[in-house]
Amino acid sequence: MTAVQTRPLTVTEAIESRRSIRRFQPEPMNQDDLREILRLASLAPTANNVQPTRFAVVQNPELQAKLQEAAYGQSQVTSAPAVIVVYSDMEDVLQTAEETVHPGMGEEQIKTRAERLRQSFAGQDVAQRGQWGLTQANIAFGFLMLAARGLGYDTVPMLGFDPQKVRELLGLPDHVQFAGMLPIGKRAEEGFPHHRHSVERVTTFY
Ligand SMILES: Cc1cc2nc3c(=O)[nH]c(=O)nc-3n(C[C@H](O)[C@H](O)[C@H](O)COP(=O)(O)O)c2cc1C
C-alpha cells in the first residue's frame, strides 16, 4: 500500500504517479478534499471563459450500482467511494450567459457581452455547440484527474458507458455531452506501469 501523503504532489509528481485505478479502498471520500479537487478542476480554462463544464458527484451506492449497469458492468464504478461525472451544458451557458461575464465589467458591458456570446452560437445547432462545449469540458476532465492525484487520490477516466442511460439516471437533459465518468478514491491496487509512445514518435519539431 502507498505511504500516507502529507503534502500536495507537484504537477510533475501527479502526472507521473497517476495511472488508472479500478479497485479502491472502501472508506468514504473526505468531503473537504472532494470540494478542493472540484475547485481546482473548475480553474481549467475555457474559450472566452464560457465555462460549460458541469460536475455530477455521486456518493450513493444504489445510484452507483445503476451507473455500473450503464457502464456495462465495470466494477470500478461501485468499488470507488465516489464517482464524478463530467459533462458540458452549452444550453445552460447560453441561458445564463450574463454569469460568464466578469462582474467587474459593469451592468451595461455584462448585457452587451452576454448578447454577443449568444449571437456567436446562434448559427450552430444544439449538437454542434454541444460538441464545442465538450472540447472545453475535456480540459477540465484532465485537470480533475491531476487535481485528485495531487491530493493523494486515484481515479480512472471512463467513457465506456451508455450516455443516454447515464443522462436518465442523473436527470440530465438530452443535449449534455459527457467528457467522462471518474471513479475516485484511494487505490487498493497499483495499476499498470505507463506504456507510451516516445516523444520522438509523436512529435514533429518545426
Ligand atoms: C477518455 C478515456 C476513456 C476511458 N474509458 C475507460 C473505460 O470505460 N474503462 C476503463 O477501464 N478504462 C478506461 N480508460 C482508461 C484507459 O484504458 C487508460 O487511461 C489507458 O490504458 C492508460 O493507462 P493509465 O491511465 O493507467 O495511464 C479510459 C481513458 C480515457 C482517457
Side-chain angles (χ1 to χ4, degrees), residues 162-184:
D162 179 333
Q164 195 49 35
K165 283 199 178 133
V166 173
R167 287 189 193 98
E168 282 162 23
L169 287 170
L170 299 178
L172 299 173
D174 285 350
H175 61 255
V176 306
Q177 300 288 336
F178 294 107
M181 192 186 273
L182 197 74
I184 178 171

Side-chain angles (χ1 to χ4, degrees), residues 137-156:
N138 285 331
I139 298 170
F141 196 51
F143 271 50
L144 183 64
M145 280 183 255
L146 292 185
R149 185 79 281 276
L151 292 185
Y153 289 89
D154 295 289
T155 60
V156 51

